[in-house]
Amino acid sequence: MFFEVKNFQALRKAMEQLSEYLEESDVPEEDVFDSKLVVSELVGNVLRHSDGVASLEGEIRGNFIELKVHSSVRFCPPEESCCPDVMSEGGRGLFIVDSVCTERTFTEDGSIRVLIKISGRAALPDDEEDN
């Protein structure tokens, strides 16, 4: 699934459609929630902190939900996140994303790519995970 997200209304619609796709694919509710949380944080940051437009891609790859967020204004997040001080007013988004994702990478095309493990799915052999 591919979405271009120019504003928060489009973000809500993209999250609804992604949720429907995941639910129809028998993804457990808690993993759908985690996906929405990640999308909200990553795409929301593009909309809040840049004049850019975000694109969102989401699909199921084997035992994982793969999400890619790309901003028209390039942003490379730090490789490791840390929980900010309890009195901090911001800076928790990437830490939250990392806490629910199995993997987060920055791709050559400037996208942030995350994998969320789908609960309760048996592991697939390596050669079947990309099907």
Side-chain angles (χ1 to χ4, degrees), residues 20 27 44 53-54 58 61 71 80 82 86 97 120 126-127:
E20 288 173 10
V27 171
V53 173
R61 288 197 174 269
S71 173
E80 293 185 30
C82 60
V86 70
V97 167
D126 289 340
D127 60 338

Side-chain angles (χ1 to χ4, degrees), residues 3-110:
F3 306 94
E4 184 175 81
V5 182
K6 296 180 180 180
N7 54 44
F8 284 97
Q9 182 178 0
L11 173 57
R12 280 189 295 276
K13 186 171 179 79
M15 287 194 325
E16 286 173 11
Q17 291 178 346
L18 178 64
S19 295
E20 288 173 10
Y21 162 71
L22 295 173
E23 289 165 359
E24 289 171 0
S25 300
D26 295 324
V27 171
E29 185 178 327
E30 62 269 16
D31 299 329
V32 174
F33 177 85
D34 288 349
S35 298
K36 290 167 55 175
L37 178 66
V38 168
V39 168
S40 177
E41 286 295 333
L42 295 178
V43 176
N45 282 344
V46 172
L47 300 176
R48 279 186 206 91
H49 303 297
S50 77
D51 291 327
V53 173
S55 63
L56 167 66
E57 293 179 60
E59 64 182 295
I60 296 173
R61 288 197 174 269
N63 298 320
F64 296 92
I65 300 164
E66 179 183 60
L67 301 171
K68 290 182 189 175
V69 175
H70 185 83
S71 173
S72 59
V73 176
R74 189 176 175 100
F75 170 73
C76 179
E79 285 187 32
E80 293 185 30
S81 61
C82 60
C83 186
D85 181 82
V86 70
M87 298 306 286
S88 297
E89 292 185 22
R92 290 176 180 80
L94 197 55
F95 180 77
I96 291 169
V97 167
D98 287 347
S99 71
V100 300
C101 294
T102 303
E103 178 181 310
R104 175 178 54 89
T105 55
F106 189 70
T107 65
E108 287 183 20
D109 72 351

